[in-house]
Amino acid sequence: MKYSTQQIFLHWLSAVIIIWATVSGFYVAMFQPSPETKQWVSFFNVSLTTVFIPFFIARIGYAFAHGKPEDTTLTARQEKMAHLGHLALYANICVVLITGVLMMDKNINVFNLFFIPHPLEDVQLLAFFKRVHVFSCLSLSLLVIGHVLAIVKHRLAGHNVLKRMLT
């Protein structure tokens, strides 16, 4: 069994969007870019991640419907760790996407093509969801780093686990 073409596409689409949004989001939060750059990154990230939501839902659907290919190079413990790591990634991404929408204090502008009304008005709730969003983005970045390091570790041990996501 191998990953389906759809699973591979959705994996790499997720990787590119999540890494972009994380790196650019941390950049504007930690450094002092120009107001124009900060505004553009915010607009682009909100638009991009809003459009990403249905693709991520499809990715979860494919993951549960099709499973993953068996890897005879991994021990049962490593398989369990990989499974738990993927579940943690999926759950964390869900929290990031949901809180990203719920923290919005204005309508969500999607690439100037359409607007989604912001769902909440309560200032305290907005602040709560923003805090949860920030912490979930931090934890997501750690999970992504762990995911990449696990791939590198397996590769160095002679197990090319990444090849299943490349073919």
Side-chain angles (χ1 to χ4, degrees):
M1 180 171 120
K2 67 176 219 158
Y3 285 111
S4 69
T5 303
Q6 296 89 345
Q7 286 174 293
I8 293 169
F9 169 76
L10 292 169
H11 172 271
W12 291 110
L13 177 70
S14 299
V16 167
I17 291 172
I18 289 166
I19 290 169
W20 163 263
T22 302
V23 170
S24 63
F26 283 145
Y27 170 73
V28 298
M30 295 171 59
F31 299 99
Q32 296 296 322
S34 69
E36 296 81 16
T37 299
K38 189 172 183 173
Q39 182 179 6
W40 181 86
V41 168
S42 176
F43 166 75
F44 187 78
N45 283 2
V46 167
S47 295
L48 183 65
T49 55
T50 301
V51 170
F52 174 62
I53 291 171
F55 289 99
F56 182 70
I57 292 168
R59 179 168 185 203
I60 297 295
Y62 275 103
F64 286 106
H66 297 278
K68 66 183 202 75
E70 184 179 335
D71 187 343
T72 57
T73 65
L74 299 179
T75 66
R77 182 176 182 272
Q78 290 170 327
E79 282 280 349
K80 183 79 166 171
M81 294 285 290
H83 179 72
L84 292 174
H86 284 100
L87 287 178
L89 277 165
Y90 292 154
N92 204 141
I93 294 165
C94 286
V95 172
V96 168
L97 292 172
I98 291 167
T99 58
V101 170
L102 294 177
M103 73 178 207
M104 297 301 291
D105 60 354
K106 59 184 179 228
N107 292 338
I108 301 167
N109 179 351
V110 182
F111 294 115
N112 290 323
L113 298 173
F114 62 94
F115 293 83
I116 300 170
H118 64 283
L120 301 173
E121 298 286 339
D122 185 297
V123 175
Q124 289 178 327
L125 272 177
L126 292 169
F128 169 77
F129 285 118
K130 184 171 185 168
R131 280 192 307 276
V132 173
H133 184 73
V134 168
F135 285 115
S136 61
C137 287
L138 287 169
S139 62
L140 179 58
S141 67
L142 294 175
L143 287 168
V144 168
I145 290 167
H147 185 63
V148 171
L149 289 175
I151 293 165
V152 170
K153 175 206 172 279
H154 287 292
R155 183 68 184 132
L156 292 174
H159 308 281
N160 190 2
V161 295
L162 187 59
K163 74 178 175 188
R164 297 180 301 169
M165 268 302 163
L166 296 173
T167 57

